[in-house]
Structure formats: structure tokens, C-alpha cells
Amino acid sequence: MDPQHRNIVIIGGGVMGCTTAYFLSRHPKFDPALHTITLLEAATIAAGASGKAGGLLGLWAYPQCLVPLSYRLHRELAEEHDGAERWGYRRVEAGSVGAVVKSADLKSRPDQRDVQPAISAPANSTPQSPAGGLPIQSILSEEAKPKDWEKLPKQDEKAAGLLTASPLPPDLDWINADLINHYEEMGAAGLSDTAQVHPFHFTNAMADLAREKGVVIKIGAKVVKINQTKAGVQSVEYEDRSETLAGTGTATNRFVHGVTDVVVTAGPWTGRLLPRSKIETLRAHSVVYEANISPFAVFTDIQLPTDYVPEHRASKGQKRKHRGNVDPEIYSRPGNEVYACGEPDSSVPLPETADLVQCDEAQCDDLIAYIGTISPVLGAAPIKAKQACYLPRHMRFGEERSPLIGQTSVPGLWLAAGHTCWGIQNGPGTGYLMAELLLDGVAKSADIGVLDPKKFKV
């Protein structure tokens, strides 16, 4: 084999895999006569968290060794490929609101639905069902005792320190100002350091642009084994599910031979392929509204009445699932769409593939009900989707650590995973650095030594 030849296999069609493929195919040293790039995805592009995340971008995100590069690349990609139109890139304001809801406030609300079934979503919106067209499975929570609300790890201490008290902005008119006891702007004063994309459209655009440059993308290719020796990687075995997903046949095992490099960007499934990575999972639920509201990303802290029970639970004789305060996050999007997410859970194990993820509809209904207590506009808005996905977390000794980016102890085996809730924000930076590592042999654009998998004996 020509020593300059590279046969690169990327495992995973989420934002990490697709941006890695994109930047590899546009690297100055990329030569289609010498370099072969194949991306294997078990379901479809952006079938997991990369299609069901919020898409918030912030210079105040973490880890800081990666964030500035990735935030800048998001802007540059949008400028080069019409991201504003193609995947909804835009700057937004972000803030944190504290609300106290009393029983009298709930009684005085105008009539609105507490929960509404999801309507069919247009083709260019967030998918209502998992990729592949398989139906979402719903499981009702039957917990007898309320539990404390668990927070998503969105802000670290540095980000929380950027909160600055300010009046509720006049155009944040979709929240009931009478219930708000404080509003704090997120980010550094006077700086445009928060933006957003639609993650499903962004990830698919990266895949399409990579394909235009010769990257081979195989859908329905579930990797089952990375064959390797002490000298390095040799081949990749995958289960071809394409006919199974299409309902026209059964799965067949196939191989990619003569592999020189394998890049594992399988998100929460990374731990299945590389147990030493210590990538664990956390399920997160979200809903998508059909509503046209001002462009804000809002982090909430809602104190509910002790006797408040959402109607969907009260009608079944259930108690409220959460006691104390709850903190849904709400992001308006272009195209008459609003995304909201709630607490994570670990009650259902990670399934084999993203198209088999279960959505607990009752948890989505909790989220809808809680948001409706402070936002009459969203309380009456149609629901386009109820969904769930799994976040990949790099865990060590019971604590969450930064993502892992770089070569493992096995020659030719690379890793880019564990980005938790900041995967979309840090996707371009990760893909850009992986392209540098593979084709330059060193990460030139950021110092990511602390993210080196070998530091953690991977």
C-alpha cells in the first residue's frame, strides 16, 4: 500500500462524525486520489442527540480550550454556506429568569390546554419520530413519590458567573412578567456571544457538503467490531441494516478492509465500542412547539405551588413527579418553532441504535405543563414533536469530565466523544481539530492536551 494512502473510517453520523468528514474533505492536504473517507452510521444522519438537541451556541460554554474555535467556525460556516437560511444560524439573546407561581396565578390563567398531542411536523422541521420512520414508543411514568428535579449540566461555574441582573427585556413578551422575580442576562455585557443553529439541519448540511467532496456515507451501518493488532487498526465490521430500516430485507454483516484510521464519533454508543473510554449516557426529553416568538434562549427557575399537579397526571390519579423548583430551558428558533428541554434521567438503558430510543411521553407532558405556568403563549401553542435522546458523558470516578479528542493508545484509532449537552456548539471545533490531527499529525488551532484520550489510558 502506498505509504501516503489513508483509508479513514468515521463511526457515527452525528455532529462530530459529520463535521470531521467535512473538515477532512476540505483540508489542504486532502487528496481524493490518496485518501478515502467512509462514514458509517447505524440509523440515519442526526438520528440521535445531534438531531434532537437545542442547538444553542455560546462563548460561555465549556470546555474553554475548545469553545472559542468552535464558536468562530460556526459563524464562518454560516457565512460560507448560507447557514442562516440552510440551518437557521443566528445570534440570540440569552438569559435566566426566576419565577414564583402561586395557586391564584394558575386559577387566573386563560383557558389553555395542559397537554396536547403532537401534530404532524412539516418535512423541514424537527422530525417527530426517530430516524428511519420507526414510531416513538411511549412509556408512562408511574412513580408514586415526587422527586427532585435534576438539572442538565449546561453551565459551569465560570458561565454562571457571567449572569448579570437586568430588567426583563420588553420584547421577551411571551413570558408572564408578573411572575418573574429576577432576570439575568447570560454572557459578557455588550458582547454578542450567544447564537444558535437548528442541529438536525446543521448536521445534515455538514454530511451533504462532505459527500459533495467525495466522502462515502453509509446509512444503516451499525459497527459491531473494530479489528486491530498491536500494530494498529486493520478493518471494521458492520451490520448493514439498510434493508431492515427500509423494511425490504434482513441485516447482513460486511467489512471495510485495509483501514488505516478509525475515528470513533459514536456519541453515547462510544462506550459500547470502546469501553475504556468511560463514555456513559443520560437520556434527555424535549418538545418542539409551533410558535413565532422573539429570539431568546431562556433558562428558567420556576417555583410551583406545593399542591400543583399537571392535569395529565391528575387525570390518572398520579402525584406530581417533581417537588420544589423546576428549570426547563426554552429556545426560540427561526421558522415559527420553539424548542424546550427538561431534566435528564437514566431510567431506560441505551438501546442498540438511535432509531430505537424510547420517549416517555409523560415526561414531555410534564415539561409542557411547567412551561405553560409562566408562558401563556406557549401554553396555548401546538406541539410539533415530543422526543428523547441520549447525551454522551465522559465519566471518571463518578464525576463528569471534559470530552475526549485525539488518538488512543492503539495506532490509528481515534476518538471524539463525550461532549454532553455542548455537542452542537463544539462540533465544528472538534471536526476541525480531528482533521488537523489526522492529516497534519498535530492539533494546530487549539491546545487540547487536556482532552487527550491517552491521558485517561484509553
Side-chain angles (χ1 to χ4, degrees):
M1 180 181 293
D2 188 323
Q4 293 182 303
H5 175 79
R6 303 288 287 275
N7 185 5
I8 303 169
V9 173
I10 301 170
I11 302 174
V15 68
M16 302 305 159
C18 292
T19 54
T20 297
Y22 170 88
F23 284 112
L24 277 172
S25 68
R26 281 162 172 75
H27 191 282
K29 294 181 181 178
F30 174 69
D31 183 350
L34 293 173
H35 303 143
T36 301
I37 304 171
T38 304
L39 187 151
L40 304 177
E41 163 54 41
T44 58
I45 298 300
S50 294
K52 298 179 176 64
L56 189 66
L57 317 175
L59 274 173
W60 41 271
Y62 58 86
Q64 272 299 306
C65 63
L66 184 58
V67 165
L69 170 66
S70 203
Y71 190 84
R72 172 174 62 81
L73 288 171
H74 265 294
R75 183 184 70 248
E76 293 175 357
L77 286 167
E79 291 170 352
E80 182 178 356
H81 299 295
D82 192 19
E85 177 66 25
R86 194 165 181 177
W87 58 77
Y89 176 87
R90 67 177 180 181
R91 301 291 179 89
V92 294
E93 292 189 51
S96 174
V97 300
V100 177
V101 180
K102 299 178 181 179
S103 297
D105 298 319
L106 298 175
K107 293 178 181 177
S108 64
R109 286 188 303 175
D111 289 339
Q112 59 182 5
R113 62 104 177 94
D114 182 75
V115 172
Q116 179 169 314
I119 61 175
S120 298
N124 63 348
S125 68
T126 303
Q128 182 178 335
S129 60
L134 299 180
I136 292 176
Q137 300 180 39
S138 299
I139 51 175
L140 290 177
S141 172
E142 297 295 340
E143 297 182 28
K145 297 181 180 179
K147 65 188 248 331
D148 290 327
W149 179 275
E150 299 177 20
K151 292 180 179 291
L152 280 167
K154 206 72 165 195
Q155 304 171 38
D156 58 10
E157 292 182 6
K158 183 175 181 180
L162 291 174
L163 290 168
T164 55
S166 60
L168 190 67
D171 49 348
L172 188 51
D173 55 1
W174 43 273
I175 289 181
N176 185 349
D178 293 338
L179 306 179
I180 304 304
N181 57 18
H182 75 267
Y183 175 82
E184 296 176 303
E185 184 179 352
M186 171 61 76
L191 296 181
S192 297
D193 53 9
T194 307
Q196 70 179 164
V197 297
H198 192 301
F200 179 81
H201 299 318
F202 174 73
T203 304
N204 273 274
M206 292 296 100
D208 291 341
L209 291 166
R211 191 184 286 110
E212 289 174 6
K213 291 293 185 177
V215 175
V216 176
I217 298 179
K218 294 183 181 295
I219 298 302
K222 176 192 172 187
V223 173
V224 295
K225 189 176 182 181
I226 302 170
N227 296 307
Q228 61 194 53
T229 66
K230 290 183 179 180
V233 295
Q234 301 292 315
S235 64
V236 174
E237 181 180 359
Y238 67 94
E239 181 183 294
D240 186 348
R241 306 174 63 234
S242 55
E243 292 190 8
T244 303
L245 291 174
T248 58
T250 58
T252 303
N253 277 27
R254 304 185 188 280
F255 290 84
V256 181
H257 293 289
V259 173
T260 60
D261 302 273
V262 175
V263 187
V264 182
T265 62
W269 286 272
T270 299
R272 295 262 177 93
L273 289 171
L274 300 177
R276 288 186 300 172
S277 67
K278 304 296 183 183
I279 301 297
E280 299 181 6
T281 65
L282 200 62
R283 186 175 65 161
H285 285 83
S286 57
V287 297
V288 182
Y289 297 86
E290 183 178 325
N292 184 14
I293 61 176
S294 54
F296 279 87
V298 176
F299 298 82
T300 71
D301 182 5
I302 306 171
Q303 179 181 321
L304 296 167
T306 56
D307 60 350
Y308 169 69
V309 180
E311 177 57 34
H312 69 280
R313 292 196 181 274
S315 65
K316 296 181 175 66
Q318 299 175 0
K319 297 181 180 179
R320 190 167 91 214
K321 182 180 178 184
H322 308 101
R323 60 186 172 216
N325 291 23
V326 296
D327 62 349
E329 300 171 15
I330 310 168
Y331 312 141
S332 64
R333 287 175 172 169
N336 299 332
E337 191 169 284
V338 180
Y339 173 95
C341 59
E343 67 154 2
D345 75 88
S346 55
S347 59
V348 178
L350 182 72
E352 286 297 312
T353 52
D355 51 297
L356 300 178
V357 170
Q358 293 181 335
C359 174
D360 182 348
E361 191 168 346
Q363 290 201 49
C364 293
D365 291 343
D366 286 332
L367 185 61
I368 294 166
Y370 298 154
I371 291 172
T373 65
I374 65 166
S375 175
V377 173
L378 295 181
I383 303 299
K384 295 175 67 174
K386 300 176 183 179
Q387 56 196 17
C389 61
Y390 285 79
L391 305 179
R393 303 190 299 164
H394 173 212
M395 302 294 291
R396 297 282 164 172
F397 306 108
E399 294 184 0
E400 184 176 306
R401 306 296 294 267
S402 295
L404 296 172
I405 302 174
Q407 187 168 214
T408 70
S409 57
V410 177
L413 182 59
W414 306 81
L415 179 61
H419 295 70
T420 62
C421 55
W422 285 115
I424 300 300
Q425 148 64 39
N426 291 323
T430 299
Y432 195 91
L433 293 166
M434 286 304 306
E436 289 184 339
L437 286 166
L438 281 155
L439 298 182
D440 292 324
V442 63
K444 299 178 178 180
S445 300
D447 181 0
I448 55 170
V450 296
L451 312 182
D452 187 349
K454 291 190 291 292
K455 291 177 66 71
F456 300 95
K457 302 186 186 304
V458 180

